[in-house]
Amino acid sequence: MTSIRDIERELSSLRTEPGAETPYQRTSVMTHTAWVPPEWVEAAEDVLSLLAERHPSRTVVLFPQPDEEEGIEGDVEVDVYPVGEGRAICTETIRVRLKGKRASAPASVVQSLLLPDLPAFLRWRGLPPFGAPEFEGLIDVVDRLVVDSTEWPDLPESYRGLTEIFDRVAVSDIAWARTSRWRPMLASLWPNIAGVQRIRVQGTAAQAHLLAGWLRSRLKHAVELEHDPSDRLVGVEIDGEPAPFPPGDPPSGADVLSEELDTFGRDRIYEDAVRAALP
Amino acid sequence: MRFARSSAPRPAKTRASVATTQENPLLEGLQIRRTPDPCILVIFGASGDLTKRKIFPALYSLAYRHLLPERFAVVGIARTEETDDDFRERMKEAVQQFGRDEFRDDVWDGLADGIRYLAADFSDAKGLDHLVDVVNELDDERETGGNRVYYLAIPPSAFETVVDSMGKRRKSEGWRRLIVEKPFGHDLESARHLNGVIEKYFDEHEVFRIDHYLGKETVQNMLALRFANGIFEPIWNRQFVDHVQITVAESMGIEGRAAYYEQAGAIRDIFQNHLLQLLAITAMEPPIDFTADSVRNEKVKVLRAMHTPGPKSVVRGQYGLGYVEGEEVLGYREEEGVDPQSMTETYVAAKLYVDNWRWADTPFYVRMGKRLPRRETTIAIEFKRAPHPPFEELAAEGLRPNVLLVNVQPDEGVSLAIGAKVPGQGMTIRTVHMDFLYGGAFRTGLPEAYERLILDAMLGDATLFTRIDEVLEQWSLVDAIVAAWVRDRPGFPNYPAGTWGPPSADELLKRDGRSWRRH
């Protein structure tokens, strides 16, 4: 059993190198909270380890374990990075296992660990349980929710819950971010693309629905979608004609999340695309 | 229906801005990175160090990030006989040695495909005619629309010939931009003359005078620090600031550049450009927006408001034999190519005033020099002491005034010195530092100044380049200082290499009851 005070105390001691007089300098640009159900643990750890160095932040990783005996267990980690000659900065990762009923009240844990005056991001792995107390509580204490709708089943219907929280929290969707190379390319097809009736997207279901939703919402007319499943976005056809492939390499998962963590405001174009993706 | 790209989508405002357009609803909300129009970059002095160490590594980094136009070419011109392949191979090695990004063959091959080299004498009309032919051919081949960027990476003495020759061969098709390296002239008169040559063929908006300090992220961060934070600007004035110290220190010597340095000295090498630009950015009023003219209008007002320091307010020095980083180094007069009786200064310290409403009577102490103990560029704003600290005298004896220190290089960042209670019984106050390390908060590598500047020149954005009126004001001040030097001959050398300059530089502040920052 761990208390928040234990976590703070342990972090403080880790920030000082054994034998050194002055502690490492803590550098934070945000609090980054990640909700990681068991099936997402491995994938989440990979991305988080790449992110820590790019976005020095306090990272709070929440592992819900509702079937365990009630309690909180936590461990902390301080990563030290050299900066300049003889100087080092540290970032903090706090892993909290929320057991039993505690898994339904994570906001009360996160609130006490948020760094004051800095933006708070919540990365939710998998489909959020819209309406459930653990999710509703968390989105009220963060500034931005980051999801990847590629991880969601039953698209586009699953987007319905998302549209209901747009007025409460800014939302980033990694699936949408992964279409960002393609949208300028499609926009460059103007005016020929203005009357598009049907698109065929070879990519994930999320990418297909979001691109179709984007075209419908921006062009303000119906656009029929044909989806050709693929694990990444590799082709788009406009009324049967293949669109040119966008330049550059597709960014890595960490790159995409990293860019989303630099974004603060609401993305109204995305919100419109999600609404228009719904049947 | 065919779906070829009609044209690259254009943002409505600036880089990474939100593009909006009435015609194309798909552009709304797109974050489109601005890339320059197709163009050919012509580098005069392509066999020199600058091309190898800075220009090509910068071009590679821009290519690596897809920031160069799709239709782009580089033509290098210099006297050295070399084939296209030899030049490409040398530049490839330079990128591998001096570039900041991993070397990728596919990125290099894309860039190298458009590289040509021409061996010619700048003063030879036939050679320059041939250059024009090569560039025109390349223009047709790569469809660059007649757009040219001329980069003068050559000694100032060769500027005039090249500008004159290229100006006479100017065609109306496409746009032209001229990048000029510092120093721009040797004094006020030569700068005016050089500008006269340039303005015969190029409008001011086509001229990009490089002061690479302005391309440094941390110098630009000074603008963010001042104008994006509500807490600093209200106290950024004579009421709260006791004085400002600007240090541009180099630990290296003249590195084989005796011919240039004997003519320039510290005052022309650093003071006239980098140092006065740092001062202008520190002292300027908030611009109404971040456009090139708004920013430069405010900087030039500062330069105009500076009065010429009297002889007692300027100290010059020259290094003698000494030790830097444990290594014994030669004195300036012993360096190869330097006159053994040289009176060229390698150090300048000065007390300057900006005579305006904000800064009246607030001294700006500046110093710059070679063979100082370490490489460091800093701007330190020292605030006035608290009017009446309610502590016993002993308790606060270790307390120093608040200092906001901007580290331009190395350890880029900002540090604020504040008084804090020492833990324990009683009240003892000590000065501690709150540090913001630029590289600590933003873990992406800082772009090299030349990447930003070359890209901006291609985009036609002159915000980070010096305008002619700034250059002339800078020379005007330098000429006045140098004129006073004719009358005296200080006993050079007057500081050993590896020290912070001559004792008279310390006296300069001591007379005012102040001292240089401790290092």
Side-chain angles (χ1 to χ4, degrees):
Chain A
M1 180 78 177
T2 312
S3 69
I4 299 300
R5 184 175 289 186
D6 293 335
I7 290 173
E8 292 283 12
R9 194 180 300 125
E10 185 62 19
L11 276 175
S12 176
S13 72
L14 283 175
R15 281 201 294 266
T16 306
E17 192 181 12
E21 273 185 24
T22 50
Y24 296 119
Q25 184 182 338
R26 182 181 74 182
T27 301
S28 304
V29 295
M30 71 180 88
T31 305
H32 175 205
T33 303
W35 176 267
V36 185
E39 63 271 29
W40 292 104
V41 171
E42 201 175 320
E45 289 284 350
D46 286 350
V47 174
L48 289 175
S49 63
L50 288 169
L51 271 187
E53 195 173 341
R54 290 191 223 184
H55 290 268
S57 52
R58 170 175 282 188
T59 302
V60 181
V61 191
L62 303 171
F63 300 100
Q65 298 175 344
D67 300 331
E68 304 260 330
E69 194 179 331
E70 188 171 338
I72 292 178
E73 272 180 17
D75 57 71
V76 296
E77 187 179 300
V78 168
D79 292 309
V80 179
Y81 304 98
V83 185
E85 285 174 25
R87 307 180 79 167
I89 58 154
C90 67
T91 60
E92 305 161 332
T93 304
I94 305 167
R95 291 181 176 79
V96 184
R97 285 170 287 285
L98 299 163
K99 297 165 179 268
K101 280 188 189 167
R102 303 289 182 103
S104 57
S108 61
V109 174
V110 169
Q111 259 184 316
S112 56
L113 292 172
L114 291 177
L115 292 171
D117 305 320
L118 289 176
F121 286 69
L122 169 65
R123 170 76 174 100
W124 193 284
R125 299 305 305 240
L127 177 65
F130 298 110
E134 63 271 28
F135 178 72
E136 298 294 315
L138 276 176
I139 61 169
D140 284 339
V141 299
V142 299
D143 301 295
R144 190 168 196 88
L145 169 69
V146 183
V147 295
D148 184 352
S149 59
T150 307
E151 299 167 353
W152 298 3
D154 305 326
L155 291 175
E157 190 54 40
S158 296
Y159 285 130
R160 199 169 300 280
L162 194 63
T163 60
E164 285 163 18
I165 61 166
F166 284 152
D167 287 333
R168 290 169 60 194
V169 65
V171 177
S172 284
D173 185 345
I174 287 171
W176 172 249
R178 285 194 180 281
T179 66
S180 61
R181 288 192 317 139
W182 284 85
R183 281 179 277 129
M185 170 56 73
L186 294 173
S188 74
L189 304 178
W190 183 268
N192 292 347
I193 198 172
V196 57
Q197 295 300 308
R198 185 171 58 87
I199 63 161
R200 181 164 183 266
V201 178
Q202 190 179 0
T204 67
Q207 289 164 335
H209 287 293
L210 289 172
L211 277 180
W214 173 61
L215 289 173
R216 288 172 199 142
S217 60
R218 304 277 39 98
L219 299 174
K220 307 218 181 301
H221 64 71
V223 177
E224 191 187 327
L225 169 67
E226 186 183 339
H227 175 217
D228 185 2
S230 169
D231 60 356
R232 57 200 180 95
L233 184 50
V234 289
V236 176
E237 282 180 17
I238 307 292
D239 289 333
E241 283 287 335
F245 206 82
D249 307 319
S252 70
D255 284 340
V256 175
L257 182 52
S258 179
E259 285 213 0
E260 292 308 306
L261 296 181
D262 282 331
T263 310
F264 296 97
R266 278 176 76 164
D267 183 348
R268 306 243 180 213
I269 307 297
Y270 167 70
E271 293 175 8
D272 290 346
V274 171
R275 289 190 189 99
L278 283 166
Chain B
M1 194 191 303
R2 291 194 59 211
F3 286 102
R5 296 177 71 181
S6 52
S7 62
R10 290 265 157 208
K13 287 181 81 182
T14 54
R15 190 190 336 272
S17 67
V18 174
T20 55
T21 169
Q22 292 298 313
E23 296 91 37
N24 185 351
L26 298 178
L27 285 180
E28 194 178 343
L30 284 186
Q31 298 211 333
I32 299 166
R33 208 176 248 166
R34 270 173 78 197
T35 50
D37 295 335
C39 62
I40 297 176
L41 173 66
V42 182
I43 304 170
F44 292 90
S47 59
D49 244 23
L50 184 74
T51 308
K52 184 173 77 177
R53 287 174 179 268
K54 298 292 182 190
I55 299 176
F56 264 94
L59 290 173
Y60 175 82
S61 289
L62 293 172
Y64 188 90
R65 289 168 180 74
H66 306 286
L67 293 172
L68 291 177
E70 279 179 45
R71 299 194 297 278
F72 177 68
V74 186
V75 179
I77 175 166
R79 289 197 181 96
T80 314
E81 285 294 337
E82 226 174 350
T83 65
D84 285 347
D85 284 341
D86 292 343
F87 181 68
R88 283 187 202 114
E89 192 54 34
R90 247 183 356 98
M91 292 306 112
K92 181 179 178 180
E93 285 166 16
V95 167
Q96 287 169 328
Q97 187 180 354
F98 301 111
R100 72 180 176 105
D101 296 305
E102 59 162 335
F103 186 83
R104 275 176 37 188
D105 284 324
D106 59 325
V107 176
W108 173 253
D109 291 347
L111 183 62
D113 193 41
I115 296 176
R116 302 285 185 277
Y117 180 80
L118 187 67
D121 187 335
F122 306 139
S123 57
D124 174 13
K126 274 187 186 170
L128 290 169
D129 284 341
H130 187 203
L131 170 69
V132 172
D133 292 342
V134 168
V135 171
N136 287 343
E137 273 172 34
L138 206 50
D139 194 32
D140 291 339
E141 187 186 307
R142 300 187 75 89
E143 299 176 39
T144 48
N147 299 327
R148 311 271 190 271
V149 180
Y150 298 121
Y151 197 128
L152 304 190
I154 48 176
S157 54
F159 282 4
E160 192 168 338
T161 317
V162 171
V163 170
D164 202 46
S165 302
M166 296 323 295
K168 282 176 182 160
R169 290 166 174 80
R170 182 173 180 149
K171 289 185 176 173
S172 56
E173 188 197 3
W175 48 250
R176 297 287 184 279
R177 287 172 194 145
L178 181 71
I179 302 178
V180 187
E181 274 289 333
K182 75 149 186 121
F184 192 83
H186 184 74
D187 53 20
L188 182 61
E189 193 186 331
S190 60
R192 277 196 179 128
H193 173 75
L194 184 55
N195 195 56
V197 173
I198 288 176
E199 70 181 5
K200 268 200 279 183
Y201 306 107
F202 295 89
D203 288 338
E204 177 63 24
H205 77 272
E206 296 174 313
V207 184
F208 296 78
R209 296 174 195 84
I210 279 194
D211 182 329
H212 75 265
Y213 261 51
L214 295 178
K216 287 181 181 288
E217 287 285 327
T218 36
V219 172
Q220 294 161 46
N221 190 42
M222 183 68 164
L223 299 170
L225 180 81
R226 289 192 56 197
F227 305 128
N229 296 289
I231 60 168
F232 294 123
E233 219 29 43
I235 56 170
W236 207 267
N237 56 50
R238 64 188 302 274
Q239 275 180 286
F240 295 93
V241 174
D242 180 75
H243 70 278
V244 176
Q245 290 188 21
I246 302 178
T247 301
V248 180
E250 294 174 283
S251 57
M252 62 184 190
I254 54 170
E255 310 291 304
R257 295 191 306 148
Y260 160 72
Y261 204 82
E262 277 282 89
Q263 296 299 313
I267 199 146
R268 293 184 177 90
D269 188 41
I270 301 288
F271 181 94
Q272 183 268 339
N273 38 75
H274 304 330
L275 195 127
L276 288 179
Q277 284 293 327
L278 291 179
L279 193 152
I281 282 175
T282 307
M284 68 192 260
E285 295 297 317
I288 53 165
D289 55 33
F290 206 61
T291 57
D293 274 334
S294 296
V295 173
R296 299 188 298 182
N297 285 346
E298 298 306 332
K299 282 196 296 171
V300 83
K301 282 184 203 165
V302 172
L303 295 166
R304 282 187 187 136
M306 290 173 66
H307 67 207
T308 307
K312 285 186 179 173
S313 295
V314 182
V315 169
R316 55 182 164 145
Q318 185 192 78
Y319 63 85
L321 187 80
Y323 289 85
V324 175
E325 294 171 12
E327 186 186 348
E328 187 174 30
V329 297
L330 296 173
Y332 177 71
R333 288 175 173 178
E334 286 83 49
E335 301 264 18
E336 195 180 336
V338 172
D339 177 358
Q341 303 301 317
S342 174
M343 290 304 293
T344 299
E345 77 290 345
T346 61
Y347 176 98
V348 176
K351 178 165 73 167
L352 303 170
Y353 285 99
V354 178
D355 284 340
N356 62 16
W357 188 274
R358 184 187 287 256
W359 295 113
D361 301 325
T362 308
F364 285 71
Y365 299 103
V366 300
R367 59 179 166 169
M368 71 240 66
K370 288 201 172 287
R371 287 287 188 223
L372 300 184
R374 67 162 186 253
R375 172 176 165 258
E376 172 190 311
T377 301
T378 53
I379 302 166
I381 317 295
E382 183 162 323
F383 293 93
K384 291 180 176 170
R385 288 178 182 272
H388 179 67
F391 313 112
E392 289 177 20
E393 205 174 313
L394 271 179
E397 67 174 355
L399 185 63
R400 297 173 58 78
N402 297 122
V403 176
L404 182 71
L405 179 68
V406 177
N407 281 304
V408 176
Q409 62 182 20
D411 289 342
E412 294 86 348
V414 179
S415 175
L416 181 64
I418 56 170
K421 181 184 176 300
V422 177
Q425 288 188 332
M427 177 61 85
T428 307
I429 318 282
R430 204 175 75 181
T431 295
V432 295
H433 288 254
M434 288 200 303
D435 286 345
F436 156 69
L437 287 171
Y438 209 65
F442 304 106
R443 301 288 293 169
T444 52
L446 297 184
E448 284 289 322
Y450 277 86
E451 288 171 39
R452 174 71 193 265
L453 295 173
I454 291 172
L455 183 64
D456 279 3
M458 287 183 191
L459 290 164
D461 181 350
T463 308
L464 300 177
F465 296 84
T466 41
R467 204 170 54 189
I468 186 60
D469 50 354
E470 291 179 80
V471 175
L472 297 180
E473 290 295 339
Q474 289 168 347
W475 278 124
S476 176
L477 186 68
V478 166
D479 281 4
I481 292 172
V482 171
W485 287 354
V486 176
R487 292 190 287 274
D488 74 322
R489 279 181 77 82
F492 282 169
N494 59 357
Y495 72 97
T499 65
W500 283 104
S504 47
D506 295 334
E507 287 296 322
L508 182 69
L509 273 74
K510 204 172 173 183
R511 283 200 298 269
D512 298 340
R514 301 184 177 102
S515 60
W516 292 108
R517 281 193 325 104
R518 281 191 304 179
H519 292 273

